[in-house]
Amino acid sequence: MSEHRRKPPQSPSGGRAAARRGGQQPPTPPPPGGRRAAGGPPPGDTPQAGGAYSSSSPSGGVGGGVGGGDEPQQPYEGRAAARRAAQGRGKGGRRRAAPGGGAAAGSASGPGGRGGRRPGKKRFIDYPRYGKVGWRHWMPSWRQVAALCVGFVGGLVGLIGIAYAMVSVPNENLAAQAQNNVYYWADGSQMIATGGEVNRQNITIDEIPQAMQNAVIAGENKTFETDRGIDPKGIARALVNMAKGGETQGGSTITQQYVKNTRLDQQQTLSRKFKELFISIKVGATMKKSEIMEGYLNTSYFGRGAYGIQAAARTYYGVDAIKLNPSQCAFLAALLKGPTYYDPAGNTSIDPIATAASNKKNSMIRWKDILDLEVKDKLMSATDRAKYTTYPMPDPVKQNAQMAGQIGYMVNLAKSYVINNKILTADQLAQGGYQIHTTFQKKKVDAMEAAVKKVQKQYIKPGGTHVVNGEDMDKYVQFGGASVNPSDGAIVAIYGGTDATKHFTNNADETGAQVGSTFKPYVLAAAMTYGVRDPSGPATQSVSERTLVSPDSVFSGKDNQLIDDYTGKPWVGYDKDNKPFQWRQPNDDGDDYGRVTLRVALDKSLNSPYVQLGQDVGTDKVHDAAISAGLVADASNGLDDYKNSVTYSIGTSSPSAIRMADGYATFDNQGRQNDPYSVSTVVHNGKQIYKHQLQTKVAFSPTVADTITGMLTDVVKKGTGTPAQLPDGRPAAGKTGTTDDNKSAWFDGYTPQLSTSIVMFRRDDQVHNGKQNSFLAMYGTGGAQKVHGDSFPAQIWKDYMSSAMAGQPKKDFEKPSEEIGKIIYGNVSSPTPAPPTTTPPTTTMTTPPTTPPTTPPSPTDSPTPSDTPTTPCTSIFGCPSSPTTSPTTSDTGGGSSTGTSSGSTNGNGNGGTGRGGTTSTQ
């Protein structure tokens, strides 16, 4: 074995044993230079010629030296040192190289390098970095960072160049190849193909008046002539909004809008936005401004099915585009902001707030602004501007003959559903190509229309003999209705009016007609779910502090009954002059009963017991129960505005027939609520893009719902609803409703399989003068002295339900599994004498008191009219939160309903001005 492979002898530094042996040897004097550097000679060695060292160690040993000399023996330093030496690390990791570039003692062979190692083969990309430790090992060098940045920018430029080369400029003629939207009945058969036909005729820029071009530039993009076709800030805003999950936004330049108009794929995605960006850049670089303007005005949607300026000119003014004057051009330019909200004809079928009055106001403001901007931007002289001060009212809407009858109402309801639920946008629907499967059942729709026509033919005869004080009481009579499947909320039938091409308001939707006593089941639901308040407790109480109410609880059924607050003290409201008054609730036709149970009061549709019950429970809880059942509060139906009202419990609000049918369906479905829907699926290009998902919510317990169903069944069996009894003895539950001054009448009811609501009222909704139309009294209508819910509405309900349920199995309603609540004694004395402080006065007064009670009611948190913290209530109907849109409950202070065809009504900011009695029965 060669000498250099022989195991070297141990030295004192080679472990404990070596240390012991070393301790037995004579000490070696340290080198004169102090501690040696790494790679220096061991103690006791002296340099020899040629750079070798000789050892004075007793163990001695001779080896080959450098240049032929003997290699000195190194002392053995233990196994750990040997392992380090084998790994090339030497002792203690990194060591300084031996003088002269030789190998360090105890290290691997090779000059320099980490721990004495020879550097590895250099890599093309030195990452992770060789020879670095810790975080420097992973930190790229500045050269690597620079190279990466240059490569990224170069690649990005290349991708942009490729994308730019691949996109092409728009072809406006291709955009005209839109498809129809096809609507289907629930059974899959086709209802109608409409909505996608394109009313457009492309014209050249020479046929587009300069006034129209100027109006668009002033209103949409004043830098059009100088910009490069894109707006970086607008794009950034749109992308940020999309990333946050907000509504998508379009480009802000005319060029970007032109590109968007010509894209057949209208999906709102980031990839589509980026593609449109590249197209806009290319359009701006390759097309003349006149060509862009021509394409934009030929492809823009102006509403009423009109695409392009030529179609818009013919649709709105009956002239060719070249004959439009600057004022008409400004009007049409205003439509580009969104015809849904700027067409003065209104678009309530898409959005209930887009009424004719609201849209006209929006349009007039925008029209004026555009003309003024033209002057500001020097596109029109002030002299010319002064010529156009009168708003250019467009022609009335021309209806599609295909939409006649009930078809138009159903199509508009389906369109409204997909737009309001963000399934599709209005632009996407207008582009067409969608197959929309509705929930409407043709046989049931036909049956409902036939039931209405039967009553109209038999009783309602305008121009006939039903005249009262010179007024034709059969004129302006309208009906509405809706039918809902309780198990899932599907709207299976509606009646929107006589003809969608002649009567534009869908009476199945909100009309502004108050619901009257059909609201009372929600009062019962609140009393059985939340309970009445403890008279000695605060206004806001938990359920544990309240008492759940039995339907056998007793209240006063007297006419003109003085109403108490929940503490037993007379309720106090304030008039418009902030003067306090008390409230006495009349019953319809002066019906006067003593002590009655809530069952009897519901059968006979007495008002005073339910107004008092609403106060004891709290009208805020009545409101909550109505919302839980399926009603929806908005700015026009009064559900929120009038929840402070003392008469809220007897139906001063005006939800739609659809929502009332759905609310009753919740009782029918044992307290399980499903939102009404009219579209089951939507298909585009063979792909299903929407499918309705059932989302059932628990509104009330089965015991509460079944108890109310039992009470409503008694109404049909022996109460005001007997005219609605079905001929085959099929179980039915329902409730009549009539409002003050006989201005609306309802019948809402259900069988175990179907819930239906019918409404009747009088109103001239053909007047389009900007004024809100009032509901008219129905004394003498149809030859009846007074129209109640048990008259024409109940007859329509009965005829329709008889036909709709034909062939269906006869089912019974579920019975309550247990008795609910306790028998309470509201504003009547109980068998056990109650403390005097909680016994309300029983004296019936013929006129409302004009002075407040000697002890004013304690402040409460409940939403009663006397509690409004900012503005004192000026009416028995509370303080509306949005007086400009809230419905009033009186024309002359008596609580009658007024309103417009859109459902917004004649509010004056205080919900009414008088103190007459609101009656709401049957």
Side-chain angles (χ1 to χ4, degrees):
M1 179 179 293
S2 64
E3 188 66 23
H4 71 275
R5 293 178 63 85
R6 185 180 304 155
K7 179 178 179 181
Q10 291 181 330
S11 68
S13 61
R16 292 182 180 179
R20 285 194 301 270
R21 290 193 297 271
Q24 298 171 2
Q25 298 177 0
T28 302
R35 182 178 180 183
R36 68 182 180 91
D45 287 3
T46 57
Q48 303 295 322
Y53 292 85
S54 64
S55 176
S56 60
S57 164
S59 56
V62 179
V66 178
D70 293 337
E71 180 180 354
Q73 294 289 335
Q74 300 295 330
Y76 181 66
E77 296 181 326
R79 295 180 178 179
R83 285 194 300 270
R84 288 194 297 270
Q87 296 170 0
R89 291 185 294 162
K91 184 167 63 177
R94 297 181 64 189
R95 301 181 63 86
R96 187 175 301 168
S107 69
S109 62
R114 181 182 177 187
R117 285 186 296 173
R118 178 182 293 113
K121 184 178 180 180
K122 193 170 184 179
R123 295 170 293 175
F124 178 72
I125 299 178
D126 184 21
Y127 188 83
R129 299 176 66 191
Y130 180 80
K132 303 294 182 181
V133 296
W135 63 270
R136 292 182 178 85
H137 183 60
W138 301 100
M139 176 63 69
S141 68
W142 68 267
R143 292 183 180 88
Q144 292 171 332
V145 173
L148 185 64
C149 291
V150 170
F152 175 78
V153 172
L156 184 62
V157 170
L159 288 175
I160 292 175
I162 293 172
Y164 182 85
M166 291 180 66
V167 298
S168 58
V169 297
N171 185 340
E172 62 194 68
N173 293 317
L174 292 179
Q177 298 175 3
Q179 306 172 59
N180 284 335
N181 291 319
V182 182
Y183 293 83
Y184 296 90
W185 294 99
D187 63 3
S189 60
Q190 182 172 317
M191 177 193 300
I192 187 175
T194 186
E197 61 273 11
V198 176
N199 175 19
R200 173 161 58 203
Q201 178 185 353
N202 291 345
I203 57 178
T204 66
I205 192 66
D206 295 332
E207 298 173 277
I208 300 174
Q210 187 62 46
M212 187 67 214
Q213 301 176 47
N214 292 342
V216 169
I217 292 173
E220 298 292 314
N221 183 194
K222 66 180 180 180
T223 63
F224 170 70
E225 295 293 350
T226 58
D227 64 39
R228 295 180 179 271
I230 62 171
D231 177 11
K233 291 183 179 179
I235 294 171
R237 284 194 303 268
L239 293 177
V240 169
N241 195 55
M242 291 176 67
K244 290 180 177 179
E247 293 186 4
T248 55
Q249 299 176 347
S252 58
T253 69
I254 288 176
T255 303
Q256 288 174 270
Q257 287 297 316
Y258 168 49
V259 171
K260 177 178 178 293
N261 291 345
T262 56
R263 296 297 306 282
L264 295 181
D265 176 14
Q266 294 293 319
Q267 295 297 319
Q268 301 294 321
T269 60
L270 284 174
S271 61
R272 173 180 167 272
K273 289 290 182 184
F274 277 115
K275 192 168 184 179
E276 287 183 2
L277 173 63
F278 287 119
I279 297 175
S280 298
I281 295 172
K282 193 163 190 175
V283 167
T286 61
M287 293 181 66
K288 297 178 181 178
K289 291 294 183 178
S290 60
E291 294 174 334
I292 296 173
M293 177 63 74
E294 175 186 309
Y296 173 64
L297 288 176
N298 275 330
T299 58
S300 293
Y301 183 57
F302 290 84
R304 301 190 189 182
Y307 280 87
I309 185 60
Q310 174 67 8
R314 300 295 307 177
T315 298
Y316 286 92
Y317 293 109
V319 299
D320 290 330
I322 194 64
K323 296 182 179 179
L324 292 170
N325 64 46
S327 180
Q328 294 169 332
C329 290
F331 166 83
L332 293 176
L335 291 173
L336 296 173
K337 197 170 181 66
T340 298
Y341 303 101
Y342 287 84
D343 182 352
N347 278 288
T348 53
S349 63
I350 295 177
D351 192 332
I353 70 171
T355 64
S358 174
N359 281 18
K360 183 178 179 181
K361 180 180 178 181
N362 294 341
S363 177
M364 292 181 71
I365 293 173
R366 183 70 175 161
W367 162 77
K368 180 179 182 299
D369 287 346
I370 288 175
L371 289 174
D372 291 341
L373 285 171
E374 289 187 67
V375 175
K376 179 181 178 181
D377 296 337
K378 303 185 184 307
L379 298 172
M380 176 187 289
S381 67
T383 303
D384 288 339
R385 169 67 181 90
K387 299 176 183 178
Y388 305 108
T389 57
T390 302
Y391 178 71
M393 191 69 183
D395 298 339
V397 177
K398 301 176 182 67
Q399 295 295 325
N400 185 342
Q402 287 182 292
M403 304 285 276
Q406 301 305 304
I407 296 294
Y409 300 123
M410 290 184 288
V411 168
N412 287 336
L413 196 63
K415 287 170 58 178
S416 177
Y417 183 84
V418 297
I419 292 173
N420 292 333
N421 287 277
K422 302 187 185 306
I423 301 168
L424 297 172
T425 66
D427 285 346
Q428 287 173 315
L429 266 181
Q431 191 67 38
Y434 296 92
Q435 292 81 52
I436 300 171
H437 295 260
T438 74
T439 59
F440 303 117
Q441 297 179 20
K442 189 176 189 304
K443 290 183 178 180
K444 288 183 172 63
V445 171
D446 292 343
M448 185 174 287
E449 185 175 31
V452 172
K453 287 184 175 180
K454 178 182 176 181
V455 167
Q456 288 175 324
K457 182 178 180 180
Q458 188 173 354
Y459 299 103
I460 310 302
K461 302 175 180 179
T465 59
H466 301 152
V467 179
V468 177
N469 297 326
E471 182 180 0
D472 185 351
M473 303 307 293
D474 286 353
K475 193 175 182 180
Y476 308 128
V477 173
Q478 299 185 35
F479 295 92
S483 198
V484 170
N485 184 339
S487 65
D488 65 356
I491 305 171
V492 298
I494 62 169
Y495 180 83
T498 55
D499 188 327
T501 64
K502 301 175 183 177
H503 171 79
F504 306 137
T505 303
N506 186 351
N507 290 346
D509 213 336
E510 285 187 10
T511 61
Q514 294 176 329
V515 297
S517 285
T518 58
F519 199 77
K520 289 174 182 174
Y522 306 124
V523 186
L524 287 169
M528 295 176 185
T529 301
Y530 304 110
V532 296
R533 291 174 284 184
D534 181 353
S536 62
T540 300
Q541 299 179 15
S542 65
V543 175
S544 63
E545 297 174 283
R546 295 168 173 258
T547 301
L548 299 184
V549 177
S550 164
D552 296 314
S553 296
V554 182
F555 285 79
S556 170
K558 290 185 177 181
D559 189 34
N560 289 319
Q561 172 65 47
L562 179 66
I563 301 302
D564 298 331
D565 64 20
Y566 81 98
T567 67
K569 298 174 183 178
W571 178 89
V572 177
Y574 295 86
D575 63 18
K576 62 181 180 180
D577 297 322
N578 202 27
K579 293 181 179 179
F581 64 91
Q582 298 173 350
W583 179 247
R584 290 181 174 275
Q585 178 59 52
N587 291 322
D588 188 54
D589 295 332
D591 291 343
D592 195 1
Y593 292 80
R595 298 157 63 95
V596 293
T597 66
L598 291 175
R599 292 183 188 274
V600 173
L602 192 68
D603 290 346
K604 299 183 179 298
S605 202
L606 302 178
N607 291 329
S608 55
Y610 281 89
V611 172
Q612 185 60 61
L613 179 61
Q615 288 302 303
D616 294 344
V617 174
T619 52
D620 59 332
K621 295 300 183 185
V622 175
H623 169 272
D624 291 347
I627 299 301
S628 295
L631 304 192
V632 175
D634 60 37
S636 63
N637 64 20
L639 278 168
D640 278 346
D641 295 338
Y642 296 143
K643 70 178 180 181
N644 294 346
S645 164
V646 67
T647 55
Y648 185 76
S649 298
I650 53 174
T652 53
S653 56
S654 56
S656 68
I658 292 173
R659 284 292 175 175
M660 287 300 291
D662 185 66
Y664 273 50
T666 300
F667 299 128
D668 194 2
N669 199 30
Q670 293 193 288
R672 298 183 297 269
Q673 192 270 332
N674 296 296
D675 285 337
Y677 69 101
S678 57
V679 175
S680 56
T681 58
V682 178
V683 177
H684 187 243
N685 291 334
K687 180 181 178 181
Q688 185 180 90
I689 63 173
Y690 169 77
K691 180 180 177 64
H692 176 75
Q693 299 295 326
L694 184 64
Q695 296 180 337
T696 302
K697 299 179 285 290
V698 176
F700 313 113
S701 70
T703 301
V704 168
D706 293 342
T707 299
I708 293 173
T709 293
M711 297 175 71
L712 293 174
T713 302
D714 288 342
V715 171
V716 175
K717 285 182 178 179
K718 57 184 180 181
T720 58
T722 53
Q725 292 177 356
L726 298 178
D728 57 357
R730 185 184 296 271
K735 183 70 189 77
T736 55
T738 306
T739 55
D740 184 56
D741 208 17
N742 208 206
K743 293 187 176 181
S744 63
W746 293 71
F747 188 88
D748 299 340
Y750 51 90
T751 65
Q753 300 103 316
L754 196 62
S755 177
T756 300
S757 176
I758 301 294
V759 60
M760 174 183 180
F761 55 89
R762 284 184 70 221
R763 183 179 58 197
D764 178 12
D765 59 4
Q766 298 299 318
V767 177
H768 298 290
N769 56 4
K771 295 182 180 180
Q772 296 171 323
N773 301 308
S774 299
F775 286 84
L776 306 173
M778 294 188 289
Y779 298 110
T781 296
Q785 183 178 0
K786 184 177 182 179
V787 176
H788 291 286
D790 64 354
S791 59
F792 307 123
Q795 182 174 337
I796 292 172
W797 187 93
K798 174 183 176 179
D799 291 343
Y800 163 70
M801 291 293 282
S802 298
S803 177
M805 298 308 300
Q808 298 293 317
K810 188 184 299 184
K811 293 184 178 181
D812 293 324
F813 292 112
E814 295 290 337
K815 303 295 183 183
S817 59
E818 59 183 345
E819 296 291 332
I820 191 168
K822 295 181 179 180
I823 297 177
I824 65 167
Y825 296 84
N827 51 356
V828 298
S829 60
S830 61
T832 301
T837 56
T838 60
T839 303
T842 58
T843 303
T844 302
M845 300 180 65
T846 57
T847 57
T850 57
T851 58
T854 55
T855 304
S858 302
T860 67
D861 296 326
S862 62
T864 60
S866 59
D867 260 335
T868 305
T870 54
T871 305
C873 291
T874 58
S875 167
I876 59 169
F877 304 108
C879 298
S881 60
S882 54
T884 59
T885 59
S886 304
T888 67
T889 54
S890 176
D891 292 331
T892 59
S896 336
S897 52
T898 60
T900 67
S901 60
S902 65
S904 62
T905 52
N906 188 15
N908 57 10
N910 58 19
T913 58
R915 292 162 50 189
T918 296
T919 61
S920 177
T921 90
Q922 292 186 308

